[in-house]
Amino acid sequence: MATGTADRIVLGNVITLDDAVPRAEAVAIRAGRVLAAGKREAVLALKGGETRIDDFGSATVIPGFNDTHAHSDSQGLKTIRPSLAEARSVDDVLKRISELAKAQAPGTWIATMPVGEPPFYFDGAQKLAEGRLPTREELDKAAPNHPVYIAAPGGYWGVPPCTCVLNTAALSANGITRESQPAWPNITIHRDASGEPNGQITEKAYVTLTEQDLLPAVPRFTYAERLEGVRRALPFYHARGTTSIYEGHGMGPEAIACFRELHEKGELTMRSALVISPTWASAAEAEPIMRDYLAYARGNGTGDDMLRITGVFIAYGGDKVIREVMQRDVTDVGFSGFVKSVNAPDEFEALCELAGRYDLRMNTIVSDKLHEIVPILERVAKKYPIGKRRWVLEHVSRSTPSDLERVKKLGVTVTLIPPHYVWKVAGPFMSMTDEDLDYLSPARALHELGVDVSAGTDAVPNDPLFCLWVMTTRRERTTGRIMGKNGRVDNALGLRLLTTAGAYLTFEENVKGPLRPGYYADLAVLSGDPIAAEGDDILNIRCEATMVGGRWVYGDKAAGQA
């Protein structure tokens, strides 16, 4: 047991995830780090005259969650636009629009969140009493002197097809007429019997481009709103027990600037690792940027224990139309915070070669293209030590044992989003055999191979305990089908993937993760034991308090804390 005096002692049912002392009754903290974890009496012996003691009784204390695919900034932005979540009928929507119109000067835009219940907005229109969205004419009556735009949830939140609605003034402001045609073929402008736009625009793809393609007049988020969005997101994630995030999908310059400003002001309470979402249009344009301007993101990245910039995101695949639309204004990133980019296989390989040359860690979304990406990385790995540099494969969906063996040989790290593929959008995988489904979002198989793998929420929802439930049950949301019973992980492994495993992504495995002496005092207090809980009981566990670096950032004890 350590010696010295603790600043704070936390009492409870402690799961340390430290193999040397897996269970404890108390954790002592000094100067933001764990001083000791062990039996109650032994830890209390480290109490001094100024030591604060927080007794959580039978509640469970665990290492803080490390959400390795968080999309945290988008969660805060969802609170900036007015909500329609309480609407249960078209009349409710129209009443809300009318109230907003009365509170704003004529001509001011009214841009709202989608119809439906966040965070998913599943079947939003169908949940209204009328089973439909408001019409253009109804919106005209509710707000005769304002352009109105009710956003679609988009594929990242809901499930396509997703529809937005505009009134006549909004259609006019965006120049949408009977002749208008979208560049993105997955967008449909609906028309009435006479051929005029009826105010509804539907997008059937997961990539959302309606605003960038057709709606230039709809107000974009300002820097001040993005900053406020990040500020509001922090308590949302702390309330889930999250103490660290890794934004591997990348963040655009303005989003990174928001985190930097909050950190400079002393308001950043989340350990945040941000990957750069680049704005270049080609490998030729990328090379001088990687060589001359991104030196700060090379290697382990640059920053401190609260904010770190590390590596770049390089997209694989996608429709060239997405690139054409986004290149109109690469700063127009909407809710995502990252630049929607497209790279054909040869372009992807060229960019990976450059990243290898300039020691920039590459992050990419794999989805169901692991069999295409692995050969590319194998060729790059012959020239550069991408495994030692901890390149990251994200969002792996379907895979095969041979794919995963090759990933193991590459030595790269993997982040998985089980709620997305196993629970939310498992439809495309329903025709797979039960044996093949074991390798859908393959947390268990990767772990058994010895691959460094972690799990993130993708903000669908931003609840690590929900992600734990998905990993341990693998139950699809519409049918209840088990999506590969041998792909399930046990609770203990699932908890590790959501807490301690993510430290490897940021080269912090020697200072962050388990509640071990010398490591950051980042922890969450839960109402139940996530390892002992069975099945759906995991969903009944709630976070009661969250600590980052020895300081409470959520819960009753956080109130008024210096």
Side-chain angles (χ1 to χ4, degrees):
M1 181 63 65
T3 59
T5 301
D7 300 329
R8 186 183 297 275
I9 293 175
V10 177
L11 304 176
N13 169 33
V14 183
I15 300 173
T16 67
L17 295 184
D18 176 4
D19 292 338
V21 185
R23 290 275 183 168
E25 298 171 342
V27 178
I29 297 159
R30 183 169 62 195
R33 300 205 180 203
V34 174
L35 177 62
K39 294 290 186 180
R40 181 185 182 103
E41 294 77 9
V43 173
L44 285 174
L46 302 173
K47 180 172 69 74
E50 301 297 322
T51 303
R52 298 183 182 183
I53 298 179
D54 300 313
D55 190 346
F56 288 96
S58 61
T60 300
V61 179
I62 66 167
F65 289 113
N66 188 346
D67 191 337
T68 57
H69 201 98
H71 288 298
S72 58
D73 60 315
S74 70
Q75 291 299 94
L77 281 180
K78 292 175 186 178
T79 70
I80 300 296
R81 287 181 176 173
S83 172
L84 300 177
E86 300 301 318
R88 295 294 178 268
S89 67
V90 168
D91 284 345
D92 288 345
V93 174
L94 298 175
K95 181 180 179 181
R96 176 69 169 139
I97 297 297
S98 179
E99 291 170 349
L100 292 168
K102 291 175 182 177
Q104 300 182 42
T108 305
W109 271 89
I110 298 172
T112 75
M113 293 298 289
V115 170
E117 293 285 343
F120 307 115
Y121 301 95
F122 294 146
D123 304 321
Q126 286 68 38
K127 289 187 177 181
L128 296 181
E130 299 83 353
R132 63 172 177 84
L133 293 168
T135 66
R136 183 191 71 186
E137 293 78 11
E138 288 171 331
L139 292 176
D140 288 345
K141 292 179 181 178
N145 301 310
H146 299 75
V148 178
Y149 169 60
I150 298 176
Y156 293 123
W157 308 344
V159 173
C162 299
T163 301
C164 66
V165 188
L166 301 92
N167 70 351
T168 302
L171 290 171
S172 177
N174 286 287
I176 297 179
T177 68
R178 63 188 301 128
E179 286 78 32
S180 297
Q181 294 294 333
W184 181 225
N186 288 301
I187 296 174
T188 300
I189 301 173
H190 297 280
R191 305 176 191 277
D192 60 24
S194 68
E196 293 293 329
N198 70 4
Q200 293 192 2
I201 301 175
T202 295
E203 196 151 15
K204 64 181 181 181
Y206 279 93
V207 176
T208 54
L209 284 182
T210 298
E211 290 187 16
Q212 291 87 349
D213 190 0
L214 293 173
L215 307 178
V218 171
R220 278 18 181 194
F221 292 114
T222 65
Y223 176 79
E225 288 173 330
R226 288 195 180 280
L227 180 67
E228 180 61 19
V230 175
R231 182 182 284 116
R232 293 183 186 184
L234 300 177
F236 294 166
Y237 282 77
H238 290 324
R240 302 295 196 180
T242 302
T243 56
S244 293
I245 56 172
Y246 185 83
E247 298 293 2
H249 204 148
M251 303 196 102
E254 194 164 71
I256 291 175
C258 292
F259 277 85
R260 175 198 56 77
E261 181 170 340
L262 288 183
H263 189 32
E264 289 177 352
K265 291 179 175 178
E267 298 179 39
L268 185 62
T269 55
M270 182 76 68
R271 299 194 195 276
S272 304
L274 312 181
V275 170
I276 294 169
S277 178
T279 58
W280 55 63
S282 65
E285 186 179 332
E287 180 166 15
I289 294 173
M290 289 192 192
R291 182 192 66 215
D292 301 336
Y293 306 121
L294 295 185
Y296 64 91
R298 292 180 181 178
N300 295 10
T302 301
D304 56 26
D305 61 335
M306 291 303 296
L307 179 61
R308 181 160 294 274
I309 311 299
T310 172
V312 294
F313 177 84
I314 301 176
Y316 178 82
D319 193 305
K320 65 180 182 179
V321 176
I322 299 173
R323 175 160 53 196
E324 293 168 1
V325 171
M326 287 304 301
Q327 284 301 313
R328 298 175 192 171
D329 181 3
V330 293
T331 68
D332 185 8
V333 297
F335 281 98
S336 70
F338 60 84
V339 179
K340 298 181 181 73
S341 55
V342 170
N343 294 294
D346 61 329
E347 295 171 318
F348 176 78
E349 185 162 354
L351 289 166
C352 286
E353 286 270 358
L354 289 172
R357 183 182 308 167
Y358 296 112
D359 190 18
L360 284 162
R361 288 206 305 148
M362 191 280 298
N363 295 248
T364 194
I365 299 291
V366 172
S367 189
D368 61 352
K369 299 297 188 292
L370 188 62
H371 63 290
E372 296 178 12
I373 290 175
V374 163
I376 294 173
L377 295 188
E378 287 173 335
R379 291 192 290 272
V380 176
K382 291 178 180 178
K383 300 179 182 179
Y384 307 105
I386 66 174
K388 291 181 179 178
R389 293 177 180 176
R390 305 186 187 185
W391 283 27
V392 187
L393 300 180
E394 308 173 78
H395 253 288
V396 179
S397 62
R398 73 173 79 219
S399 64
T400 66
S402 61
D403 289 337
L404 302 185
E405 288 283 357
R406 294 166 76 178
V407 169
K408 168 62 177 175
K409 290 179 181 178
L410 283 169
V412 296
T413 186
V414 177
T415 65
L416 298 176
I417 320 296
H420 186 79
Y421 295 116
V422 175
W423 178 80
K424 181 178 176 240
V425 294
F429 311 111
M430 286 294 194
S431 61
M432 295 169 61
T433 67
D434 288 343
E435 292 75 15
D436 288 342
L437 282 173
D438 291 341
Y439 296 94
L440 177 68
S441 193
R444 178 174 173 177
L446 285 166
H447 172 74
E448 290 176 349
L449 282 171
V451 175
D452 287 291
V453 56
S454 60
T457 70
D458 203 26
V460 286
N462 69 318
D463 185 355
L465 288 167
F466 182 84
C467 188
L468 178 64
W469 173 78
V470 171
M471 285 193 288
T472 56
T473 64
R474 292 180 69 89
R475 193 181 306 156
E476 192 271 335
R477 70 180 177 89
T478 63
T479 65
R481 179 181 176 184
I482 304 302
M483 304 296 286
K485 65 178 182 179
N486 292 322
R488 291 180 292 198
V489 303
D490 62 36
N491 295 35
L493 174 57
L495 188 63
R496 287 182 183 275
L497 299 185
L498 288 162
T499 55
T500 60
Y504 186 80
L505 286 169
T506 47
F507 301 87
E508 294 178 291
E509 65 270 22
N510 293 320
V511 291
K512 183 166 76 173
L515 298 178
R516 176 184 296 163
Y519 282 53
Y520 298 146
D522 298 350
L523 56 85
V525 181
L526 306 180
S527 61
D529 186 329
I531 292 180
E534 296 183 2
D536 293 351
D537 289 343
I538 294 173
L539 298 175
N540 296 323
I541 298 174
R542 295 291 178 265
C543 177
E544 297 182 352
T546 305
M547 173 184 285
V548 176
R551 180 176 182 269
W552 294 112
V553 294
Y554 171 73
D556 292 342
K557 291 179 174 59
Q561 179 178 258

